[in-house]
Amino acid sequence: MKNNLSNIKKAIKYLDKNQCIAIPTETVYGLAANAYSSVATEKIYKLKKRPKKNPLIVHYFDLELLKKDCEINDLFLKLYKKYSPGPISYILKLKKNSLISKNVTNKKNTLAVRFPKHRLTRNLLKRLNYPLAAPSANISTKISPVSKKDVKEEFGKKIRLILDGGQSRIGVESTIINLINKPQVLRLGGIPKEKIKKYLNSHLAYKKKSVVKSPGQEKTHYSPYIKLRLNIKNPNIHEAYVLIRKRKKISSNYFYLSKNNNLKEAAKNLYKTLRLIKKKKYKSIAVEKIPNVGFGEVINDRLKRASNFK
Ligand code: TXA
Ligand code: MG
């Protein structure tokens, strides 16, 4: 804890100086900077090689600062009470007098906001008087990081501080829900959309092709840039085979996301496994059929985008 506190103090020092640092969250690690500063947020786009047209998610501790930046409505409060802090992001209307940098929103009048649950990052947010813009800490379109080591692999010495919060517990990004008009899921993620739908007891739209252009909605994303085939029963011998059910046969090219068909566990292990396969220099990946329900739907969404590259 003492060590954490001194690291948090170091983090504040960097952030106050408009530097980027990496922070752990329960979904994936984020590349964070002061969301009120154009200088700081500019650095995020540069480091990530992210197109400016793609707005950033902003992380808050609680509603206190948020209320200064965004209009909040009853539906938001209902979801906030149930799921935040946690793996869900909300698209809200930006207030005209908000301090959020124009860099963050790409001059839109909406803002993606999230309240991460990871203890270390909550400790940090609590001590800041500004929220943190923090997209996933990976180079644009590549695999998201779920540990300090992964972030290092992405950016090397280009970022000065990575807060170490262990492996991300959820392992896939937050579910994004647009609350501007009728609620609509823009990205599948850490809270399966069926759960949210049940809780709201109403129709919840999910548009695979969102009207809002965002990297999570692009065809290529989360990609190891290795040929990837889905729903495969019989892999080739030189191919990495990604599995969710234990096999009798033991083979060095088998990579288990889970051994007992546990889809939540599989989601947690997804990015870590793709990174490992890349490191082992496989030229091709085959994935066994993954049921398209709950976290399985999230895994399939990410794998489809990961397989889509030229
Ligand atoms: O779990 C997460 O959400 C992680 C952790 C670090 O919090 N963050 C994350 O950020 O996944 P990022 O930037 O990789 O994905 C955020 C997505 C992007 O697709 C972005 O375009 C979209 O949210 N987005 C941001 N602002 C938006 C807005 N105003 N309207 C619609 N989509 C928006
Ligand atoms: Mg991302």
Side-chain angles (χ1 to χ4, degrees):
M1 186 62 207
K2 186 168 169 269
N3 187 32
N4 276 350
L5 194 62
S6 70
N7 281 330
I8 286 174
K9 283 187 178 154
K10 215 190 267 176
I12 295 172
K13 240 187 215 164
Y14 282 121
L15 291 167
D16 282 350
K17 284 188 191 151
N18 287 332
Q19 302 282 1
C20 291
I21 63 160
I23 56 169
T25 89
E26 70 280 19
T27 56
V28 299
Y29 275 61
L31 185 62
N34 179 353
Y36 291 160
S37 158
S38 305
V39 175
T41 48
E42 183 74 33
K43 289 178 184 165
I44 294 180
Y45 287 95
K46 273 219 177 103
L47 277 166
K48 268 186 73 85
K49 302 195 176 103
R50 179 176 177 122
K52 265 290 180 59
K53 64 174 195 237
N54 289 314
L56 306 177
I57 283 188
V58 177
H59 298 61
Y60 289 85
F61 177 72
D62 62 12
L63 298 183
E64 197 185 319
L65 269 187
L66 179 84
K67 279 181 179 167
K68 296 186 181 174
D69 292 329
C70 292
E71 310 277 357
I72 58 175
N73 54 42
D74 289 348
L75 185 58
F76 164 71
L77 285 175
K78 187 171 173 172
L79 288 164
Y80 176 84
K81 272 182 198 145
K82 173 90 175 162
Y83 294 119
S84 295
I88 183 167
S89 299
Y90 312 95
I91 310 294
L92 299 175
K93 231 191 188 141
L94 198 64
K95 279 190 173 168
K96 283 217 169 72
N97 58 352
S98 148
L99 295 177
I100 293 291
S101 158
K102 297 263 180 303
N103 256 343
V104 169
T105 55
N106 184 28
K107 301 187 186 92
K108 281 193 202 3
N109 59 357
T110 59
L111 187 68
V113 307
R114 179 160 125 69
F115 309 84
K117 196 169 188 171
H118 196 289
R119 223 183 60 205
L120 190 54
T121 290
R122 273 186 73 70
N123 257 325
L124 171 65
L125 286 168
K126 195 168 68 180
R127 290 175 160 82
L128 297 170
N129 54 5
Y130 47 82
L132 291 176
S136 51
N138 54 285
I139 306 290
S140 228
T141 79
K142 300 217 171 140
I143 309 170
S144 300
V146 291
S147 70
K148 177 176 176 174
K149 194 172 112 264
D150 294 351
V151 180
K152 245 193 191 150
E153 255 175 47
E154 291 292 310
F155 296 108
K157 288 193 174 127
K158 284 189 188 145
I159 44 177
R160 307 277 290 279
L161 181 70
I162 306 169
L163 286 181
D164 190 355
Q167 194 192 333
S168 296
R169 193 171 48 82
I170 308 271
V172 288
E173 295 83 349
S174 61
T175 302
I176 302 182
I177 182 161
N178 190 347
L179 298 175
I180 300 293
N181 297 311
K182 274 195 179 151
Q184 184 188 41
V185 172
L186 299 183
R187 177 177 73 186
L188 301 172
I191 299 176
K193 76 173 191 308
E194 295 311 315
K195 265 199 175 168
I196 304 175
K197 194 170 157 183
K198 212 169 158 192
Y199 172 64
L200 292 179
N201 196 17
S202 70
H203 180 70
L204 181 60
Y206 168 52
K207 259 198 167 173
K208 278 192 184 159
K209 279 194 186 127
S210 165
V211 278
V212 189
K213 268 270 175 200
S214 59
Q217 309 305 123
E218 302 283 358
K219 271 191 164 170
T220 309
H221 204 176
Y222 318 107
S223 185
Y225 288 84
I226 301 170
K227 199 175 109 197
L228 198 154
R229 311 185 300 137
L230 302 173
N231 303 324
I232 303 299
K233 267 194 185 151
N234 301 303
N236 304 322
I237 39 167
H238 299 301
E239 220 170 11
Y241 193 29
V242 174
L243 299 152
I244 55 167
R245 286 182 206 88
K246 196 165 167 40
R247 300 298 154 99
K248 279 194 195 113
K249 196 181 135 196
I250 294 171
S251 178
S252 64
N253 66 330
Y254 283 12
F255 294 85
Y256 287 100
L257 297 178
S258 164
K259 283 188 176 167
N260 55 3
N261 201 14
N262 180 329
L263 295 175
K264 194 170 183 186
E265 182 191 17
K268 178 181 172 175
N269 290 324
L270 178 65
Y271 293 147
K272 192 173 92 173
T273 305
L274 291 179
R275 240 174 231 280
L276 177 65
I277 290 170
K278 190 174 174 74
K279 224 174 267 168
K280 290 190 181 268
K281 302 218 171 359
Y282 279 92
K283 296 279 178 292
S284 161
I285 304 173
V287 185
E288 87 166 313
K289 191 177 169 79
I290 293 173
N292 208 37
V293 291
F295 275 97
E297 200 184 4
V298 186
I299 296 170
N300 285 329
D301 170 75
R302 300 303 194 262
L303 286 174
K304 240 176 245 151
R305 294 180 206 275
S307 68
N308 209 311
F309 67 92
K310 284 187 194 110

